[in-house]
Amino acid sequence: MDHLETGRLWNENAEAWTVMARAGYDIYRDCLNTPAFMAMLPEIEGLRGLDLGCGEGHNTRLLARRGAVMTGLDIAGRFLQYAHEAELAEPLGVRYIQGSGLTLPFPAGAFDFITAFMSLMDMPATPRVFAEIYRALKPGGFLQFSITHPCSDTPIRRKVKDDRGQDVALELGGYFHRLEGQVEAWTFGSAPQELRSRFDPFHVPRYTHTLSDWLNLLVETGFVIERVGEPRPDEAALKRCPQVADAGVWPYFLHVRVRKPDVGDCH
Ligand SMILES: C[S@@+](CC[C@H](N)C(=O)[O-])C[C@H]1O[C@@H](n2cnc3c(N)ncnc32)[C@H](O)[C@@H]1O
């Protein structure tokens, strides 16, 4: 499967994803993943940012509200329609562009920073995507991204519960087996059945790497690793969203910030 075919599947997912996420059913994003990502982000006020794989623009808008001059790019036109509508309803100066992470339609050095929330593991040809991001960043600029945690998002995974039904472990396997576009079908588990039944499940092509492959690919591209995060819910998050308690037992997400060296940096 190539990036255009992947994009077509995402286009089909866009309506259900947007309706359910905007209704508050992407609870791992809202309660855990995005707050941790934003807490790890450096100051971005006044900087030119690209949000790669922006979807319907939820996180792009959060970045714009922090004062960044944002561009959102996605391969799926339907997601961008929803993003445009949100921009019209609440103008934040975000421009949305349809394109692919494999061929970013921007000149070299166009951005001070690039974010990719849960989108890089949805694109084929990761070395090429990293090379494109590197090119589009100015020297000294940074990339910060989130992905499903490669150590727990494996082809075989089963929750292990104790006698009281509490999640206590994850059985996993197939860690070294690379997925190259195999399609998984799923939906937001917390959405009520009545809402879920209005839509087909999402069809998501998966492109996996081991943890060391992700980090080595970044280093081989020329990036310097600056910060790594594995968000887990604190007490306040658990109180608000008890459903994410399992994310305190095994890691769901991996956050990485890397920097393109500045011209004057020593090597
Ligand atoms: C899991 S969704 C995440 C959306 C958004 N970042 C969020 O956090 O809500 C992955 C996104 O990556 C986009 N995508 C997949 N392949 C892409 C590619 N080659 N170039 C740009 N975007 C892509 C999909 O269309 C989808 O919007």
Side-chain angles (χ1 to χ4, degrees), residues 138-238:
K138 70 162 200 196
F142 72 87
L143 160 70
Q144 184 169 309
F145 66 91
S146 55
I147 51 174
T148 51
H149 201 298
C151 298
S152 61
D153 186 21
T154 51
I156 300 169
R157 55 182 188 274
R158 270 187 299 270
K159 289 182 173 192
V160 179
K161 293 180 183 291
D162 67 10
D163 307 344
R164 290 175 302 143
Q166 302 281 332
D167 295 314
V168 287
L170 189 65
E171 277 180 357
L172 55 86
Y175 176 65
F176 294 105
H177 178 77
R178 276 197 65 193
L179 300 182
E180 267 293 324
Q182 282 91 329
V183 178
E184 273 188 2
W186 57 276
T187 187
F188 292 127
S190 62
Q193 180 56 32
E194 185 215 344
L195 181 57
R196 278 191 269 163
S197 63
R198 279 176 44 200
F199 305 104
D200 284 338
F202 309 131
H203 289 100
V204 178
R206 306 199 49 227
Y207 300 90
T208 60
H209 302 283
T210 61
L211 177 61
S212 54
D213 281 349
W214 276 108
L215 298 179
N216 287 332
L217 282 171
L218 288 163
V219 172
E220 284 157 15
T221 308
F223 284 115
V224 175
I225 296 173
E226 195 167 87
R227 187 100 195 141
V228 179
E230 296 172 297
R232 73 189 87 158
D234 59 16
E235 266 180 39
L238 285 175

Side-chain angles (χ1 to χ4, degrees), residues 3-4 6-7 10-11 17 21 26 29 34 51-60 73-76 79 99-102 116-124 129 146 186 204:
H3 64 144
L4 299 177
T6 298
W10 273 107
N11 213 37
W17 188 285
D26 192 350
R29 179 194 73 181
T34 291
D51 188 22
L52 172 56
C54 63
E56 56 85 25
H58 172 85
N59 292 315
T60 326
L73 178 135
D74 203 282
I75 200 162
F79 265 131
S100 172
L102 280 74
F117 293 81
M118 302 301 286
S119 60
L120 294 181
M121 75 278 177
D122 296 326
M123 302 178 196
V129 175
S146 55
W186 57 276
V204 178

